[in-house]
Amino acid sequence: MTWRNWAGNQRTDPRRTVVARDAGDVVEAVKGAERDGLRVKALGSGHSFTAIAVPEDIALRPPADPGLLLTDSTTGLVTAPAGLPLHRLNALLWERGLALPNLGDIEAQTVAGAISTGTHGTGATHRGLAAQVRALEIVLADGSLITCSATEHPEVFAAARIGLGALGVLTHVTLQAVPAFRLHAVETAMPLPDVLSGLDELVAAHEHFEFYWFPHTDIAATKSNNRTEATGPTRGRVAEWVGDDLLGNGAFGLACRLGAAAPRLVPPINRRMAAQMAAAEYVDRSYRVFTSPRRVRFLEMEYGVAREAIHEALAGLRAAAARHARAVTFPVEVRFAAADDIPLSTAAGRDSAYIAVHVYRGQPHEAYFGAVETVLAGLGGRPHWGKLHTQTAATLRERYPAFDGFVAVRDRLDPQGRFTNAYLDRVLGAPGRSAR
């Protein structure tokens, strides 16, 4: 059966698909691949825009049964099957009085897919999802099943937290959760010059802060989320439908189609959408505030730059958008995260700012993305592993101090390239050969 990702820009016809019920099924699938000389790729929910998860031979769906979820309310440790979608995990944790401390802006990904590609949220003192990992159960290329942590196979654990699917197939992931909490969300439109001049203060004043800039406008839609003990104000079902479905997806989809058909209308469309999409205040469960539905399909590129480079990055991006984003109605998303110690994390060793650009699916994106990439790569930017970019092992090695160490672990665990594909060969180099 043909496999397609969510955006529809990646597709393939794997030789066979295996749906694993447990770790034993994964072991058998990997041993079968070794016997037949085939490659294996674990499938998530297809929310990567790159070909990182494209299965060339065997498509393997890891265990996803929510009945396999284990939680410890005393320690906050949560062990989830790797294929469990985050939206299921978030709801189950809430029922047990727990929550993840930070999330990205969608929850459709699987647990393994989210950590393996470096999914992050926003918050100057918060790190990405992979930094919450405390242990991993992984099937290696020889079919062996190991558990790794900071004390057990520590070199594998260090790399596999963001492993790109290159080290093996994750079957279970242990995460550090926290007591369930609510967030107070405030969404408001501000003049872009005011946001930029007061950016450090805005980021420092809120636990989670981000903003969206609509090309061809001087408007920024800001969103700040802070923990609260309050239970209101709340959004009723009608208000939630208006915000998420009508304005967030229905009207926005219409705006994208109209902008693609009549680019001269994009500036007024963007001004109107910026004002409408940033006018809300509410309190809700943390995961409901962190995440939003995404029903308008698009292509995306995102780079992480050193926090101190954000103003230079945005200046270059705005110039690139003025030249190449004439028909772009999608906003630019800007977020922030704290440094971590994960070898292939985009925030490895540095506090980071993230800039993501999008285009409506079906619109040309090459010139716009290419111009933005030139700016961000020139500032030492690191591309999100699951979002479009043109970098190779040769260019990425310069940006990750631990790059060669990761490749060495990969070559030791998978010398025959059982878990590789064309994308991984491009960004890591082919197994067993120098990526230089």
Side-chain angles (χ1 to χ4, degrees), residues 73 76 93-94 96-101 176-182 227 286:
S73 58
L93 290 184
W94 187 269
R96 304 180 192 192
L98 296 169
L100 296 178
Q176 181 64 64
V178 298
F181 61 99
R182 294 180 182 273
R227 291 195 185 207
S286 57

Side-chain angles (χ1 to χ4, degrees), residues 310-343:
I310 184 60
H311 289 283
E312 186 176 356
L314 287 172
L317 180 147
R318 293 175 69 190
R323 294 193 304 271
H324 301 289
R326 189 169 63 95
V328 174
T329 48
F330 264 88
V332 174
E333 184 178 20
V334 182
R335 295 180 287 174
F336 305 87
D340 61 45
D341 63 352
I342 304 173

Side-chain angles (χ1 to χ4, degrees), residues 64-70 81 84 88 92 96:
D65 183 0
L68 298 174
L69 178 66
L70 300 175
L84 185 68
R88 295 292 307 277
L92 289 169
R96 304 180 192 192

Side-chain angles (χ1 to χ4, degrees), residues 13-48:
D13 295 295
R15 295 180 182 225
R16 61 178 180 257
T17 299
V18 177
V19 179
R21 296 164 298 177
D22 53 32
D25 286 349
V26 177
V27 169
E28 290 304 313
V30 172
K31 287 182 176 178
E34 182 181 25
R35 181 183 62 247
D36 298 338
L38 300 177
R39 292 179 171 184
V40 180
K41 289 308 300 176
L43 295 182
S45 56
H47 264 267
S48 287

Side-chain angles (χ1 to χ4, degrees), residues 126-149:
H126 289 267
R127 299 179 296 170
L129 190 62
Q132 301 164 30
V133 175
R134 297 295 177 264
L136 297 165
E137 186 179 81
I138 183 171
V139 177
L140 304 180
D142 61 2
S144 60
L145 176 68
I146 69 167
T147 298
C148 58
S149 66

Side-chain angles (χ1 to χ4, degrees), residues 227-278:
R227 291 195 185 207
T228 182
E229 297 297 325
T231 57
T234 61
R235 291 193 299 175
R237 289 189 177 182
V238 172
E240 185 175 359
W241 177 80
V242 170
D244 289 342
D245 290 274
L246 179 60
L247 296 180
N249 288 286
F252 186 54
L254 176 62
C256 289
R257 293 190 293 273
L258 183 58
R264 71 183 185 281
L265 297 178
V266 167
I269 288 173
N270 284 1
R271 287 192 292 271
R272 182 69 176 269
M273 293 305 299
Q276 287 185 331
M277 293 178 69

